[in-house]
Structures are given as C-alpha cells and as structure tokens.
Amino acid sequence: MKITRIETFLVPPRWLFCRIETDEGVVGWGEPVVEGRAEVVRAAVDVLAEHLVGQDPLRIQDHWQVLSKGGFYRGGPVLSSAVAGLDQALWDIAGKTYGAPVHALLGGPVRDRVRVYAWVGGDEPAELTEQIAAQVEAGFTAVKMNGAGATSPIPTPAETAAIVGRVAAAREALGPDRDVAVDFHGRFTAAGARRVLSELGPLHPLFVEEPVVPEHGHLLAGLVAATPIPLATGERLYGRADFLPVLTAGIAVAQPDLSHAGGISEVHRIASLAETHGAQLAPHCPLGPIALAASLQVAFATPNFLIQEQSRGIHYNKDADLLSYLVDTEPFRFVDGHASRGDAPGLGVTVDEAAVRAADRSGHAWRNPVWRHADGSFAEW
C-alpha cells in the first residue's frame, strides 16, 4: 500500500483537517492546526507531504522520525502540529487496514469509558451558575472555567476577590461531588498566580491550568511547593523534551494537545513519561472532531489518564460545532459525563467528506484577540 495524495481543508470555525489517500482506497483523517495560524500549518503539511507521498503509510514510527527530525530544524508549534495531524491520519489508516481501533493497536484498552468535561465561561457569577446548571443537567460531572480575563500581572485585592468569587460560585453550583478546573491561561506572573492559588485552595479545584506562561516553566516548582492545588500545563508544549522539566518540577497533570504535540505517537510517549513522574494525563482539546477522536483513542489505552477536554458548545464554535463534519455522531454521545469505548476501526469516526470539501470553499481566517491592559500595554490572552 502506498500513499497517493495528501489534502488539507480549512474548515470553520477555526480548524484544519488533512486527508491521506492510498492506492488501495484506504483513507485516513487528521487535524493539524495551530489556532489562529491554520494557514501556516497548512503550508507545513504541504512541505511534509513531499516525504509521505509514495511511501507505505503503515511505517508510522519511521515517518514520525523523518517528519519531526529529517529537516534538521525541529520542534515548535507549526512543525509539531503539522506532524501531529499527519500522524493521526496514519494511525487512522493503520486501524482501518488492520480492522481495529487505534487503542487496540496501542496495546489494548485499560478502561471502558472516558470521563470528559464541558467548558463554561466564568466571566459573571450569575451566568456561570446558569451555565453549570445546564452542564449538570446534561450529565457532566466536571466543568472548566476561565480564572479571569485580562488581569494585572499581580492581581489587585479586588481582582483576586473577583476570581475567587467566581470559583466559589462554581463550587456552590456543582456541590462536593463534581469537579471544577480553573484555567489561568498564563495571564499572571508567578507571584500573581501564587497570590490567587493561596485563596483557591479551600474550593478544591480539580486542577489549575497554566498558572504561568510556558516559557516560565522553570518557576513551576516553586508554585507546586506553595499550593495543595494540583497544577496542570502542556497545551503549549510540543514533545517529551518540553514536558520533562515541568514533570520534574512536580506538575500533577500533563495536558499535551493531540493536534500540537506530535500526534498520537508522541502523546502516547508523553503519557508514559508522565506516569513515571506520578502525573496524570488530561489532553488539551478545544478543537474539532478528529482531534477529539484521536485524544479518546489515547485515553482508552493510557493507565494514568484523568479527564478529557471537548469543545461541544464552546464559545469559539460560531459557524460549526463538534458534530458538524461527522456522518455518525454516536461516538461523541456523552452519557453521565463519559464517552463510551467503541470498536470502530481507526480513529472511530466517519468524516463527512462532502461537508468538509464544501466548508473548505469558504474557509476561515480565525485569529485570537489581542488584549491590552488599562495602560495600553500588551496583556496575555
């Protein structure tokens, strides 16, 4: 079997899909994207496709090595995301060729269902309570919320109180038997994060995500030592080498993104590395259906898996949603806040190719906002 064609599709709301076709008619799908830079990743996929066309798609690990390292320069979000989507598609082809789900090819399932969480806004306490009530009614046992919007690097007493008040409202709405995760999104300095973390402890967040920006990972050990709250990071880390220092620093939860961190191949290895450091895996995935399908396949085969992010109803999904490009939405029917394990081959989802091709004709040019502090200086988004 040989790869004959690789295509990419820029589809709303902000995603990029890739399709790998073979001469035996087996097709695999992946999701290589950097949110806000999808066109750049598309160009990277086109370059990497020069290596893959004409090759045996089942040599996944060899292709991963060449795609990641064969150009001498390596790493970073664009290259790693391009490799990630191609890797997902190759695993999809392998599963369809062998008639097995990817989790079986990774060594077999270690669980029958995967816990997932839903996003809620977190901007206003009243709205937050309503949003959480809706997610609880839908069966979810965990939600994630933003800690704050554009905030002073070292939050003022009023800003700190507002953050704590919103998380307290979430805790009250959820009760003691459900979980809330809080995303700091790297919006504070380490000192600012320490100040807020000290106030959040009694509310028992499941974890606090990205307490500092990724380039300040060397400061995480101090934050870990200063708080009983489990700390999480990883959506802007792209391989095992990036994760090693933060795992050594003592983070409790590793959050690689299957569309950024080298795909199924590398995230499976990151999960094993995390296990040796006593950390859990909670893949980042505010993206589309292919990225989620790949994440779930890894989750089913990962002993130290904690919980899975998913984007149904997330605020980014304006023109399309998680289910928009699927023939059958059953794989993403969440029951009691869990996704059930299926036995469909490959990634376990069937992409609606006609809908994808139609969406690509209009495409998108999604960009993340650029925030400013009150004095006009740049603020982390």
Side-chain angles (χ1 to χ4, degrees), residues 79 142 333:
L79 176 60
R333 184 171 69 89

Side-chain angles (χ1 to χ4, degrees), residues 1-380:
M1 182 164 56
K2 304 296 182 185
I3 295 171
T4 56
R5 182 168 58 157
I6 297 176
E7 301 173 275
T8 54
F9 306 92
L10 203 62
V11 297
R14 57 180 191 155
W15 305 329
L16 182 71
F17 295 169
C18 71
R19 177 184 182 273
I20 299 182
E21 183 177 328
T22 69
D23 59 357
E24 294 186 9
V26 183
V27 170
W29 288 86
E31 194 168 333
V33 68
V34 173
E35 301 93 300
R37 300 292 185 268
E39 303 94 329
V40 182
V41 180
R42 185 179 220 176
V45 171
D46 289 343
V47 172
L48 294 178
E50 296 174 7
H51 164 73
L52 288 175
V53 172
Q55 299 292 318
D56 177 359
L58 301 181
R59 298 189 61 181
I60 298 174
Q61 297 302 335
D62 185 65
H63 293 319
W64 191 94
Q65 295 291 322
V66 173
L67 295 175
S68 297
K69 304 173 183 178
F72 184 71
Y73 296 99
R74 59 192 73 181
V78 172
L79 176 60
S80 294
S81 298
V83 173
L86 292 166
D87 182 81
Q88 293 170 16
L90 293 175
W91 278 102
D92 195 24
I93 289 171
K96 291 171 180 175
T97 299
Y98 296 127
V102 168
H103 64 73
L105 304 184
L106 295 175
V110 296
R111 58 181 50 81
D112 297 322
R113 60 181 191 158
V114 164
R115 191 184 185 200
V116 299
Y117 64 81
W119 257 98
V120 293
D123 295 330
E124 297 294 337
E127 295 177 2
L128 180 64
T129 300
E130 294 175 1
Q131 292 167 348
I132 289 175
Q135 299 299 350
V136 169
E137 179 67 22
F140 288 97
T141 63
V143 299
K144 189 168 79 175
M145 60 181 286
N146 283 317
T151 306
S152 303
I154 301 179
T156 65
E159 289 172 329
T160 301
I163 296 166
V164 175
R166 288 192 293 271
V167 179
R171 171 52 64 206
E172 183 176 359
L174 289 163
D177 297 322
R178 298 181 180 88
D179 284 310
V180 58
V182 183
D183 191 353
F184 280 13
H185 228 242
R187 290 169 183 164
F188 313 138
T189 62
R194 187 178 295 110
R195 171 175 287 180
V196 178
L197 287 168
S198 68
E199 301 289 331
L200 290 181
L203 299 172
H204 297 283
L206 177 63
F207 56 77
V208 165
E209 179 176 334
E210 275 203 323
V212 291
V213 289
E215 56 266 34
H216 290 169
H218 59 286
L219 302 176
L220 281 169
L223 292 177
V224 169
T227 180
I229 299 172
L231 299 185
T233 197
E235 70 182 77
R236 290 186 276 183
L237 304 178
Y238 309 115
R240 285 160 287 163
D242 292 341
F243 273 91
L244 182 57
V246 300
L247 288 166
T248 303
I251 64 164
V253 183
Q255 297 178 294
D257 190 305
L258 270 287
S259 282
H260 300 328
I264 291 169
S265 295
E266 184 70 349
V267 170
H268 193 233
R269 293 187 283 257
I270 291 168
S272 295
L273 180 64
E275 187 178 18
T276 67
H277 288 79
Q280 301 291 105
L281 187 78
H284 178 259
C285 189
L287 294 170
I290 305 170
L292 179 58
S295 299
L296 291 175
Q297 293 297 326
V298 170
F300 284 122
T302 298
N304 56 318
F305 169 82
L306 177 66
I307 197 167
Q308 177 62 55
E309 181 173 23
Q310 55 83 32
S311 70
R312 185 184 296 183
I314 200 169
H315 50 288
Y316 301 118
N317 296 352
K318 302 295 186 183
D319 302 314
D321 207 344
L322 183 65
L323 308 181
S324 297
Y325 302 107
L326 296 177
V327 172
D328 180 9
T329 61
E330 183 64 20
F332 296 152
R333 184 171 69 89
F334 305 131
V335 178
D336 297 329
H338 289 75
S340 298
R341 177 169 56 85
D343 295 320
L347 295 181
V349 294
T350 302
V351 174
D352 186 340
E353 184 174 331
V356 169
R357 291 187 182 278
D360 181 60
R361 285 196 284 272
S362 57
H364 68 82
W366 188 87
R367 302 288 184 265
N368 63 263
V370 175
W371 285 357
R372 299 279 177 180
H373 291 299
D375 65 359
S377 63
F378 173 80
E380 290 285 344

